[in-house]
PDB file of all heavy atoms in Angstrom:
ATOM      1  N   ILE A1385      -0.393  -8.546   0.966  1.00  0.00           N
ATOM      2  CA  ILE A1385       0.615  -7.556   1.342  1.00  0.00           C
ATOM      3  C   ILE A1385       0.047  -6.188   0.995  1.00  0.00           C
ATOM      4  O   ILE A1385      -0.360  -5.955  -0.140  1.00  0.00           O
ATOM      5  CB  ILE A1385       1.945  -7.784   0.596  1.00  0.00           C
ATOM      6  CG1 ILE A1385       2.451  -9.216   0.816  1.00  0.00           C
ATOM      7  CG2 ILE A1385       2.982  -6.772   1.022  1.00  0.00           C
ATOM      8  CD1 ILE A1385       2.460 -10.053  -0.445  1.00  0.00           C
ATOM      9  N   VAL A1386       0.027  -5.300   1.983  1.00  0.00           N
ATOM     10  CA  VAL A1386      -0.639  -4.005   1.820  1.00  0.00           C
ATOM     11  C   VAL A1386       0.370  -2.869   1.954  1.00  0.00           C
ATOM     12  O   VAL A1386       1.268  -2.907   2.799  1.00  0.00           O
ATOM     13  CB  VAL A1386      -1.755  -3.866   2.885  1.00  0.00           C
ATOM     14  CG1 VAL A1386      -2.277  -2.443   2.947  1.00  0.00           C
ATOM     15  CG2 VAL A1386      -2.889  -4.822   2.565  1.00  0.00           C
ATOM     16  N   PHE A1387       0.195  -1.826   1.115  1.00  0.00           N
ATOM     17  CA  PHE A1387       1.056  -0.640   1.137  1.00  0.00           C
ATOM     18  C   PHE A1387       0.189   0.608   1.199  1.00  0.00           C
ATOM     19  O   PHE A1387      -0.980   0.601   0.810  1.00  0.00           O
ATOM     20  CB  PHE A1387       1.941  -0.599  -0.111  1.00  0.00           C
ATOM     21  CG  PHE A1387       2.811  -1.807  -0.279  1.00  0.00           C
ATOM     22  CD1 PHE A1387       2.381  -2.883  -1.040  1.00  0.00           C
ATOM     23  CD2 PHE A1387       4.048  -1.884   0.345  1.00  0.00           C
ATOM     24  CE1 PHE A1387       3.165  -4.026  -1.177  1.00  0.00           C
ATOM     25  CE2 PHE A1387       4.842  -3.013   0.212  1.00  0.00           C
ATOM     26  CZ  PHE A1387       4.399  -4.086  -0.544  1.00  0.00           C
ATOM     27  N   VAL A1388       0.793   1.722   1.639  1.00  0.00           N
ATOM     28  CA  VAL A1388       0.030   2.963   1.786  1.00  0.00           C
ATOM     29  C   VAL A1388      -0.074   3.755   0.491  1.00  0.00           C
ATOM     30  O   VAL A1388      -0.891   4.656   0.383  1.00  0.00           O
ATOM     31  CB  VAL A1388       0.622   3.867   2.891  1.00  0.00           C
ATOM     32  CG1 VAL A1388       0.487   3.215   4.249  1.00  0.00           C
ATOM     33  CG2 VAL A1388       2.076   4.206   2.605  1.00  0.00           C
ATOM     34  N   ASN A1389       0.748   3.428  -0.504  1.00  0.00           N
ATOM     35  CA  ASN A1389       0.637   4.111  -1.797  1.00  0.00           C
ATOM     36  C   ASN A1389       1.136   3.194  -2.901  1.00  0.00           C
ATOM     37  O   ASN A1389       1.790   2.170  -2.648  1.00  0.00           O
ATOM     38  CB  ASN A1389       1.372   5.459  -1.801  1.00  0.00           C
ATOM     39  CG  ASN A1389       2.857   5.314  -1.512  1.00  0.00           C
ATOM     40  OD1 ASN A1389       3.580   4.607  -2.215  1.00  0.00           O
ATOM     41  ND2 ASN A1389       3.338   6.006  -0.480  1.00  0.00           N
ATOM     42  N   ASP A1390       0.811   3.556  -4.137  1.00  0.00           N
ATOM     43  CA  ASP A1390       1.126   2.664  -5.255  1.00  0.00           C
ATOM     44  C   ASP A1390       2.607   2.665  -5.606  1.00  0.00           C
ATOM     45  O   ASP A1390       3.106   1.683  -6.159  1.00  0.00           O
ATOM     46  CB  ASP A1390       0.300   3.059  -6.490  1.00  0.00           C
ATOM     47  CG  ASP A1390       0.255   1.958  -7.522  1.00  0.00           C
ATOM     48  OD1 ASP A1390      -0.126   0.822  -7.155  1.00  0.00           O
ATOM     49  OD2 ASP A1390       0.634   2.203  -8.682  1.00  0.00           O
ATOM     50  N   GLY A1391       3.312   3.742  -5.298  1.00  0.00           N
ATOM     51  CA  GLY A1391       4.745   3.751  -5.546  1.00  0.00           C
ATOM     52  C   GLY A1391       5.452   2.675  -4.748  1.00  0.00           C
ATOM     53  O   GLY A1391       6.322   1.946  -5.261  1.00  0.00           O
ATOM     54  N   MET A1392       5.068   2.543  -3.484  1.00  0.00           N
ATOM     55  CA  MET A1392       5.639   1.499  -2.634  1.00  0.00           C
ATOM     56  C   MET A1392       5.257   0.120  -3.154  1.00  0.00           C
ATOM     57  O   MET A1392       6.076  -0.808  -3.164  1.00  0.00           O
ATOM     58  CB  MET A1392       5.145   1.680  -1.204  1.00  0.00           C
ATOM     59  CG  MET A1392       5.676   2.909  -0.514  1.00  0.00           C
ATOM     60  SD  MET A1392       7.241   2.601   0.309  1.00  0.00           S
ATOM     61  CE  MET A1392       6.675   1.665   1.715  1.00  0.00           C
ATOM     62  N   ARG A1393       4.014  -0.024  -3.571  1.00  0.00           N
ATOM     63  CA  ARG A1393       3.585  -1.324  -4.103  1.00  0.00           C
ATOM     64  C   ARG A1393       4.392  -1.704  -5.328  1.00  0.00           C
ATOM     65  O   ARG A1393       4.859  -2.849  -5.459  1.00  0.00           O
ATOM     66  CB  ARG A1393       2.088  -1.289  -4.438  1.00  0.00           C
ATOM     67  CG  ARG A1393       1.541  -2.635  -4.931  1.00  0.00           C
ATOM     68  CD  ARG A1393       0.226  -2.467  -5.672  1.00  0.00           C
ATOM     69  NE  ARG A1393       0.411  -1.673  -6.885  1.00  0.00           N
ATOM     70  CZ  ARG A1393       0.883  -2.146  -8.046  1.00  0.00           C
ATOM     71  NH1 ARG A1393       1.270  -3.405  -8.132  1.00  0.00           N
ATOM     72  NH2 ARG A1393       0.999  -1.347  -9.085  1.00  0.00           N
ATOM     73  N   ARG A1394       4.587  -0.756  -6.246  1.00  0.00           N
ATOM     74  CA  ARG A1394       5.314  -1.057  -7.485  1.00  0.00           C
ATOM     75  C   ARG A1394       6.760  -1.443  -7.193  1.00  0.00           C
ATOM     76  O   ARG A1394       7.296  -2.371  -7.824  1.00  0.00           O
ATOM     77  CB  ARG A1394       5.274   0.157  -8.424  1.00  0.00           C
ATOM     78  CG  ARG A1394       3.910   0.418  -9.029  1.00  0.00           C
ATOM     79  CD  ARG A1394       4.014   1.354 -10.230  1.00  0.00           C
ATOM     80  NE  ARG A1394       4.690   2.598  -9.902  1.00  0.00           N
ATOM     81  CZ  ARG A1394       4.075   3.688  -9.465  1.00  0.00           C
ATOM     82  NH1 ARG A1394       2.754   3.685  -9.298  1.00  0.00           N
ATOM     83  NH2 ARG A1394       4.741   4.792  -9.202  1.00  0.00           N
ATOM     84  N   TRP A1395       7.407  -0.737  -6.255  1.00  0.00           N
ATOM     85  CA  TRP A1395       8.803  -1.057  -5.939  1.00  0.00           C
ATOM     86  C   TRP A1395       8.920  -2.494  -5.436  1.00  0.00           C
ATOM     87  O   TRP A1395       9.806  -3.250  -5.860  1.00  0.00           O
ATOM     88  CB  TRP A1395       9.336  -0.092  -4.874  1.00  0.00           C
ATOM     89  CG  TRP A1395      10.804  -0.254  -4.605  1.00  0.00           C
ATOM     90  CD1 TRP A1395      11.831   0.383  -5.242  1.00  0.00           C
ATOM     91  CD2 TRP A1395      11.419  -1.122  -3.626  1.00  0.00           C
ATOM     92  NE1 TRP A1395      13.043  -0.029  -4.725  1.00  0.00           N
ATOM     93  CE2 TRP A1395      12.826  -0.951  -3.741  1.00  0.00           C
ATOM     94  CE3 TRP A1395      10.927  -2.013  -2.689  1.00  0.00           C
ATOM     95  CZ2 TRP A1395      13.726  -1.647  -2.933  1.00  0.00           C
ATOM     96  CZ3 TRP A1395      11.817  -2.711  -1.878  1.00  0.00           C
ATOM     97  CH2 TRP A1395      13.210  -2.522  -2.004  1.00  0.00           C
ATOM     98  N   HIS A1396       8.027  -2.893  -4.545  1.00  0.00           N
ATOM     99  CA  HIS A1396       8.083  -4.240  -4.001  1.00  0.00           C
ATOM    100  C   HIS A1396       7.661  -5.285  -5.030  1.00  0.00           C
ATOM    101  O   HIS A1396       8.185  -6.407  -5.038  1.00  0.00           O
ATOM    102  CB  HIS A1396       7.211  -4.330  -2.743  1.00  0.00           C
ATOM    103  CG  HIS A1396       7.791  -3.628  -1.559  1.00  0.00           C
ATOM    104  ND1 HIS A1396       7.664  -2.264  -1.365  1.00  0.00           N
ATOM    105  CD2 HIS A1396       8.532  -4.088  -0.509  1.00  0.00           C
ATOM    106  CE1 HIS A1396       8.278  -1.924  -0.240  1.00  0.00           C
ATOM    107  NE2 HIS A1396       8.819  -2.997   0.289  1.00  0.00           N
ATOM    108  N   ALA A1397       6.731  -4.926  -5.899  1.00  0.00           N
ATOM    109  CA  ALA A1397       6.304  -5.873  -6.933  1.00  0.00           C
ATOM    110  C   ALA A1397       7.448  -6.176  -7.898  1.00  0.00           C
ATOM    111  O   ALA A1397       7.598  -7.312  -8.367  1.00  0.00           O
ATOM    112  CB  ALA A1397       5.103  -5.316  -7.689  1.00  0.00           C
ATOM    113  N   GLU A1398       8.262  -5.187  -8.199  1.00  0.00           N
ATOM    114  CA  GLU A1398       9.402  -5.406  -9.082  1.00  0.00           C
ATOM    115  C   GLU A1398      10.475  -6.260  -8.412  1.00  0.00           C
ATOM    116  O   GLU A1398      11.107  -7.103  -9.050  1.00  0.00           O
ATOM    117  CB  GLU A1398       9.994  -4.059  -9.512  1.00  0.00           C
ATOM    118  CG  GLU A1398       9.080  -3.270 -10.439  1.00  0.00           C
ATOM    119  CD  GLU A1398       9.597  -1.874 -10.706  1.00  0.00           C
ATOM    120  OE1 GLU A1398      10.717  -1.542 -10.225  1.00  0.00           O
ATOM    121  OE2 GLU A1398       8.896  -1.099 -11.389  1.00  0.00           O
ATOM    122  N   ARG A1399      10.673  -6.061  -7.115  1.00  0.00           N
ATOM    123  CA  ARG A1399      11.701  -6.816  -6.396  1.00  0.00           C
ATOM    124  C   ARG A1399      11.235  -8.228  -6.063  1.00  0.00           C
ATOM    125  O   ARG A1399      12.050  -9.165  -6.054  1.00  0.00           O
ATOM    126  CB  ARG A1399      12.086  -6.072  -5.116  1.00  0.00           C
ATOM    127  CG  ARG A1399      13.143  -6.782  -4.267  1.00  0.00           C
ATOM    128  CD  ARG A1399      13.765  -5.857  -3.264  1.00  0.00           C
ATOM    129  NE  ARG A1399      14.756  -4.979  -3.862  1.00  0.00           N
ATOM    130  CZ  ARG A1399      16.055  -5.252  -3.924  1.00  0.00           C
ATOM    131  NH1 ARG A1399      16.523  -6.394  -3.467  1.00  0.00           N
ATOM    132  NH2 ARG A1399      16.883  -4.393  -4.466  1.00  0.00           N
ATOM    133  N   TYR A1400       9.944  -8.389  -5.788  1.00  0.00           N
ATOM    134  CA  TYR A1400       9.398  -9.695  -5.415  1.00  0.00           C
ATOM    135  C   TYR A1400       8.229 -10.034  -6.345  1.00  0.00           C
ATOM    136  O   TYR A1400       7.065 -10.061  -5.911  1.00  0.00           O
ATOM    137  CB  TYR A1400       8.939  -9.684  -3.956  1.00  0.00           C
ATOM    138  CG  TYR A1400       9.998  -9.228  -2.981  1.00  0.00           C
ATOM    139  CD1 TYR A1400       9.951  -7.959  -2.388  1.00  0.00           C
ATOM    140  CD2 TYR A1400      11.066 -10.060  -2.650  1.00  0.00           C
ATOM    141  CE1 TYR A1400      10.926  -7.544  -1.492  1.00  0.00           C
ATOM    142  CE2 TYR A1400      12.052  -9.649  -1.765  1.00  0.00           C
ATOM    143  CZ  TYR A1400      11.979  -8.395  -1.190  1.00  0.00           C
ATOM    144  OH  TYR A1400      12.949  -7.982  -0.312  1.00  0.00           O
ATOM    145  N   PRO A1401       8.493 -10.296  -7.607  1.00  0.00           N
ATOM    146  CA  PRO A1401       7.406 -10.505  -8.572  1.00  0.00           C
ATOM    147  C   PRO A1401       6.506 -11.689  -8.241  1.00  0.00           C
ATOM    148  O   PRO A1401       5.325 -11.697  -8.614  1.00  0.00           O
ATOM    149  CB  PRO A1401       8.151 -10.721  -9.897  1.00  0.00           C
ATOM    150  CG  PRO A1401       9.536 -11.138  -9.506  1.00  0.00           C
ATOM    151  CD  PRO A1401       9.826 -10.406  -8.235  1.00  0.00           C
ATOM    152  N   TYR A1402       7.026 -12.681  -7.540  1.00  0.00           N
ATOM    153  CA  TYR A1402       6.217 -13.854  -7.202  1.00  0.00           C
ATOM    154  C   TYR A1402       5.098 -13.524  -6.221  1.00  0.00           C
ATOM    155  O   TYR A1402       4.156 -14.306  -6.039  1.00  0.00           O
ATOM    156  CB  TYR A1402       7.100 -14.960  -6.616  1.00  0.00           C
ATOM    157  CG  TYR A1402       7.983 -14.524  -5.464  1.00  0.00           C
ATOM    158  CD1 TYR A1402       7.488 -14.426  -4.169  1.00  0.00           C
ATOM    159  CD2 TYR A1402       9.323 -14.189  -5.683  1.00  0.00           C
ATOM    160  CE1 TYR A1402       8.291 -14.015  -3.123  1.00  0.00           C
ATOM    161  CE2 TYR A1402      10.136 -13.778  -4.636  1.00  0.00           C
ATOM    162  CZ  TYR A1402       9.617 -13.697  -3.357  1.00  0.00           C
ATOM    163  OH  TYR A1402      10.417 -13.291  -2.319  1.00  0.00           O
ATOM    164  N   ALA A1403       5.182 -12.353  -5.565  1.00  0.00           N
ATOM    165  CA  ALA A1403       4.144 -11.948  -4.625  1.00  0.00           C
ATOM    166  C   ALA A1403       3.306 -10.784  -5.149  1.00  0.00           C
ATOM    167  O   ALA A1403       2.403 -10.309  -4.454  1.00  0.00           O
ATOM    168  CB  ALA A1403       4.764 -11.563  -3.285  1.00  0.00           C
ATOM    169  N   ALA A1404       3.578 -10.334  -6.364  1.00  0.00           N
ATOM    170  CA  ALA A1404       2.950  -9.110  -6.887  1.00  0.00           C
ATOM    171  C   ALA A1404       1.429  -9.215  -6.949  1.00  0.00           C
ATOM    172  O   ALA A1404       0.725  -8.225  -6.708  1.00  0.00           O
ATOM    173  CB  ALA A1404       3.503  -8.788  -8.273  1.00  0.00           C
ATOM    174  N   ASP A1405       0.902 -10.394  -7.247  1.00  0.00           N
ATOM    175  CA  ASP A1405      -0.550 -10.523  -7.381  1.00  0.00           C
ATOM    176  C   ASP A1405      -1.269 -10.473  -6.041  1.00  0.00           C
ATOM    177  O   ASP A1405      -2.494 -10.388  -5.996  1.00  0.00           O
ATOM    178  CB  ASP A1405      -0.901 -11.816  -8.117  1.00  0.00           C
ATOM    179  CG  ASP A1405      -0.454 -13.064  -7.354  1.00  0.00           C
ATOM    180  OD1 ASP A1405       0.455 -12.949  -6.508  1.00  0.00           O
ATOM    181  OD2 ASP A1405      -1.011 -14.152  -7.619  1.00  0.00           O
ATOM    182  N   ARG A1406      -0.520 -10.489  -4.940  1.00  0.00           N
ATOM    183  CA  ARG A1406      -1.125 -10.397  -3.610  1.00  0.00           C
ATOM    184  C   ARG A1406      -0.881  -9.037  -2.961  1.00  0.00           C
ATOM    185  O   ARG A1406      -1.173  -8.849  -1.780  1.00  0.00           O
ATOM    186  CB  ARG A1406      -0.571 -11.519  -2.721  1.00  0.00           C
ATOM    187  CG  ARG A1406      -1.121 -12.898  -3.064  1.00  0.00           C
ATOM    188  CD  ARG A1406      -0.404 -14.013  -2.323  1.00  0.00           C
ATOM    189  NE  ARG A1406       0.867 -14.339  -2.960  1.00  0.00           N
ATOM    190  CZ  ARG A1406       2.033 -14.369  -2.331  1.00  0.00           C
ATOM    191  NH1 ARG A1406       2.115 -14.063  -1.049  1.00  0.00           N
ATOM    192  NH2 ARG A1406       3.131 -14.673  -2.981  1.00  0.00           N
ATOM    193  N   MET A1407      -0.353  -8.105  -3.734  1.00  0.00           N
ATOM    194  CA  MET A1407      -0.050  -6.772  -3.212  1.00  0.00           C
ATOM    195  C   MET A1407      -1.191  -5.804  -3.509  1.00  0.00           C
ATOM    196  O   MET A1407      -1.697  -5.753  -4.639  1.00  0.00           O
ATOM    197  CB  MET A1407       1.255  -6.249  -3.815  1.00  0.00           C
ATOM    198  CG  MET A1407       2.474  -7.059  -3.401  1.00  0.00           C
ATOM    199  SD  MET A1407       4.019  -6.423  -4.121  1.00  0.00           S
ATOM    200  CE  MET A1407       5.218  -7.559  -3.413  1.00  0.00           C
ATOM    201  N   GLN A1408      -1.595  -5.061  -2.483  1.00  0.00           N
ATOM    202  CA  GLN A1408      -2.703  -4.126  -2.588  1.00  0.00           C
ATOM    203  C   GLN A1408      -2.307  -2.781  -1.970  1.00  0.00           C
ATOM    204  O   GLN A1408      -1.353  -2.709  -1.185  1.00  0.00           O
ATOM    205  CB  GLN A1408      -3.932  -4.667  -1.851  1.00  0.00           C
ATOM    206  CG  GLN A1408      -4.448  -5.996  -2.366  1.00  0.00           C
ATOM    207  CD  GLN A1408      -5.261  -5.860  -3.626  1.00  0.00           C
ATOM    208  OE1 GLN A1408      -5.629  -4.747  -4.029  1.00  0.00           O
ATOM    209  NE2 GLN A1408      -5.557  -6.983  -4.273  1.00  0.00           N
ATOM    210  N   VAL A1409      -3.049  -1.751  -2.319  1.00  0.00           N
ATOM    211  CA  VAL A1409      -2.858  -0.426  -1.727  1.00  0.00           C
ATOM    212  C   VAL A1409      -4.051  -0.101  -0.832  1.00  0.00           C
ATOM    213  O   VAL A1409      -5.198  -0.205  -1.258  1.00  0.00           O
ATOM    214  CB  VAL A1409      -2.697   0.665  -2.804  1.00  0.00           C
ATOM    215  CG1 VAL A1409      -2.651   2.059  -2.166  1.00  0.00           C
ATOM    216  CG2 VAL A1409      -1.459   0.421  -3.636  1.00  0.00           C
ATOM    217  N   VAL A1410      -3.771   0.254   0.394  1.00  0.00           N
ATOM    218  CA  VAL A1410      -4.789   0.757   1.328  1.00  0.00           C
ATOM    219  C   VAL A1410      -4.299   2.119   1.801  1.00  0.00           C
ATOM    220  O   VAL A1410      -3.431   2.203   2.677  1.00  0.00           O
ATOM    221  CB  VAL A1410      -5.003  -0.183   2.522  1.00  0.00           C
ATOM    222  CG1 VAL A1410      -6.020   0.414   3.495  1.00  0.00           C
ATOM    223  CG2 VAL A1410      -5.477  -1.556   2.053  1.00  0.00           C
ATOM    224  N   PRO A1411      -4.797   3.201   1.215  1.00  0.00           N
ATOM    225  CA  PRO A1411      -4.304   4.528   1.602  1.00  0.00           C
ATOM    226  C   PRO A1411      -4.619   4.840   3.059  1.00  0.00           C
ATOM    227  O   PRO A1411      -5.516   4.248   3.668  1.00  0.00           O
ATOM    228  CB  PRO A1411      -5.067   5.481   0.667  1.00  0.00           C
ATOM    229  CG  PRO A1411      -5.714   4.627  -0.359  1.00  0.00           C
ATOM    230  CD  PRO A1411      -5.865   3.270   0.226  1.00  0.00           C
ATOM    231  N   ASN A1412      -3.871   5.777   3.608  1.00  0.00           N
ATOM    232  CA  ASN A1412      -4.245   6.322   4.901  1.00  0.00           C
ATOM    233  C   ASN A1412      -5.505   7.166   4.739  1.00  0.00           C
ATOM    234  O   ASN A1412      -6.035   7.320   3.632  1.00  0.00           O
ATOM    235  CB  ASN A1412      -3.101   7.150   5.482  1.00  0.00           C
ATOM    236  CG  ASN A1412      -2.029   6.278   6.106  1.00  0.00           C
ATOM    237  OD1 ASN A1412      -2.321   5.336   6.837  1.00  0.00           O
ATOM    238  ND2 ASN A1412      -0.775   6.578   5.826  1.00  0.00           N
ATOM    239  N   GLY A1413      -5.979   7.729   5.802  1.00  0.00           N
ATOM    240  CA  GLY A1413      -7.187   8.532   5.730  1.00  0.00           C
ATOM    241  C   GLY A1413      -7.321   9.404   6.960  1.00  0.00           C
ATOM    242  O   GLY A1413      -6.371   9.580   7.724  1.00  0.00           O
ATOM    243  N   TRP A1414      -8.493   9.947   7.164  1.00  0.00           N
ATOM    244  CA  TRP A1414      -8.735  10.816   8.312  1.00  0.00           C
ATOM    245  C   TRP A1414      -9.994  10.348   9.044  1.00  0.00           C
ATOM    246  O   TRP A1414     -10.816   9.596   8.493  1.00  0.00           O
ATOM    247  CB  TRP A1414      -8.862  12.276   7.899  1.00  0.00           C
ATOM    248  CG  TRP A1414     -10.021  12.589   6.991  1.00  0.00           C
ATOM    249  CD1 TRP A1414     -10.102  12.360   5.642  1.00  0.00           C
ATOM    250  CD2 TRP A1414     -11.274  13.168   7.366  1.00  0.00           C
ATOM    251  NE1 TRP A1414     -11.316  12.756   5.158  1.00  0.00           N
ATOM    252  CE2 TRP A1414     -12.062  13.270   6.187  1.00  0.00           C
ATOM    253  CE3 TRP A1414     -11.806  13.626   8.565  1.00  0.00           C
ATOM    254  CZ2 TRP A1414     -13.342  13.794   6.186  1.00  0.00           C
ATOM    255  CZ3 TRP A1414     -13.095  14.156   8.575  1.00  0.00           C
ATOM    256  CH2 TRP A1414     -13.843  14.241   7.393  1.00  0.00           C
ATOM    257  N   GLU A1415     -10.131  10.799  10.291  1.00  0.00           N
ATOM    258  CA  GLU A1415     -11.177  10.311  11.171  1.00  0.00           C
ATOM    259  C   GLU A1415     -12.209  11.395  11.466  1.00  0.00           C
ATOM    260  O   GLU A1415     -11.938  12.309  12.255  1.00  0.00           O
ATOM    261  CB  GLU A1415     -10.567   9.819  12.494  1.00  0.00           C
ATOM    262  CG  GLU A1415      -9.595   8.658  12.345  1.00  0.00           C
ATOM    263  CD  GLU A1415      -8.169   9.087  12.017  1.00  0.00           C
ATOM    264  OE1 GLU A1415      -7.931  10.312  11.869  1.00  0.00           O
ATOM    265  OE2 GLU A1415      -7.311   8.211  11.902  1.00  0.00           O
ATOM    266  N   PRO A1416     -13.394  11.320  10.874  1.00  0.00           N
ATOM    267  CA  PRO A1416     -14.433  12.331  11.160  1.00  0.00           C
ATOM    268  C   PRO A1416     -14.784  12.399  12.643  1.00  0.00           C
ATOM    269  O   PRO A1416     -15.131  13.477  13.150  1.00  0.00           O
ATOM    270  CB  PRO A1416     -15.625  11.850  10.327  1.00  0.00           C
ATOM    271  CG  PRO A1416     -15.014  11.055   9.216  1.00  0.00           C
ATOM    272  CD  PRO A1416     -13.828  10.378   9.824  1.00  0.00           C
ATOM    273  N   GLU A1417     -14.701  11.256  13.350  1.00  0.00           N
ATOM    274  CA  GLU A1417     -15.066  11.266  14.762  1.00  0.00           C
ATOM    275  C   GLU A1417     -14.069  12.054  15.604  1.00  0.00           C
ATOM    276  O   GLU A1417     -14.388  12.476  16.724  1.00  0.00           O
ATOM    277  CB  GLU A1417     -15.184   9.836  15.293  1.00  0.00           C
ATOM    278  CG  GLU A1417     -13.876   9.063  15.426  1.00  0.00           C
ATOM    279  CD  GLU A1417     -13.442   8.369  14.147  1.00  0.00           C
ATOM    280  OE1 GLU A1417     -13.969   8.712  13.070  1.00  0.00           O
ATOM    281  OE2 GLU A1417     -12.578   7.478  14.233  1.00  0.00           O
ATOM    282  N   LEU A1418     -12.853  12.276  15.075  1.00  0.00           N
ATOM    283  CA  LEU A1418     -11.857  13.060  15.792  1.00  0.00           C
ATOM    284  C   LEU A1418     -11.823  14.512  15.333  1.00  0.00           C
ATOM    285  O   LEU A1418     -11.596  15.418  16.133  1.00  0.00           O
ATOM    286  CB  LEU A1418     -10.468  12.439  15.610  1.00  0.00           C
ATOM    287  CG  LEU A1418     -10.255  11.042  16.190  1.00  0.00           C
ATOM    288  CD1 LEU A1418      -8.830  10.578  15.928  1.00  0.00           C
ATOM    289  CD2 LEU A1418     -10.549  11.015  17.686  1.00  0.00           C
ATOM    290  N   LEU A1419     -12.025  14.730  14.047  1.00  0.00           N
ATOM    291  CA  LEU A1419     -11.890  16.080  13.493  1.00  0.00           C
ATOM    292  C   LEU A1419     -13.211  16.814  13.347  1.00  0.00           C
ATOM    293  O   LEU A1419     -13.239  18.046  13.253  1.00  0.00           O
ATOM    294  CB  LEU A1419     -11.189  16.012  12.134  1.00  0.00           C
ATOM    295  CG  LEU A1419      -9.748  15.510  12.154  1.00  0.00           C
ATOM    296  CD1 LEU A1419      -9.178  15.477  10.739  1.00  0.00           C
ATOM    297  CD2 LEU A1419      -8.869  16.375  13.045  1.00  0.00           C
ATOM    298  N   GLY A1420     -14.305  16.062  13.292  1.00  0.00           N
ATOM    299  CA  GLY A1420     -15.594  16.701  13.100  1.00  0.00           C
ATOM    300  C   GLY A1420     -15.739  17.255  11.677  1.00  0.00           C
ATOM    301  O   GLY A1420     -14.946  16.960  10.791  1.00  0.00           O
ATOM    302  N   THR A1421     -16.760  18.083  11.468  1.00  0.00           N
ATOM    303  CA  THR A1421     -17.007  18.715  10.168  1.00  0.00           C
ATOM    304  C   THR A1421     -16.780  20.213  10.307  1.00  0.00           C
ATOM    305  O   THR A1421     -17.466  20.875  11.089  1.00  0.00           O
ATOM    306  CB  THR A1421     -18.448  18.453   9.689  1.00  0.00           C
ATOM    307  OG1 THR A1421     -18.667  17.047   9.611  1.00  0.00           O
ATOM    308  CG2 THR A1421     -18.670  19.090   8.322  1.00  0.00           C
TER     309      THR A1421
END
């Protein structure tokens, strides 16, 4: 189970503790191929 930030992960981990060890954070990001340097 993946979230965009740790606050979201923590909220869900507290509500669903049986799944907490499978919860990860994958932040958003930006695309160099679209924005260039």
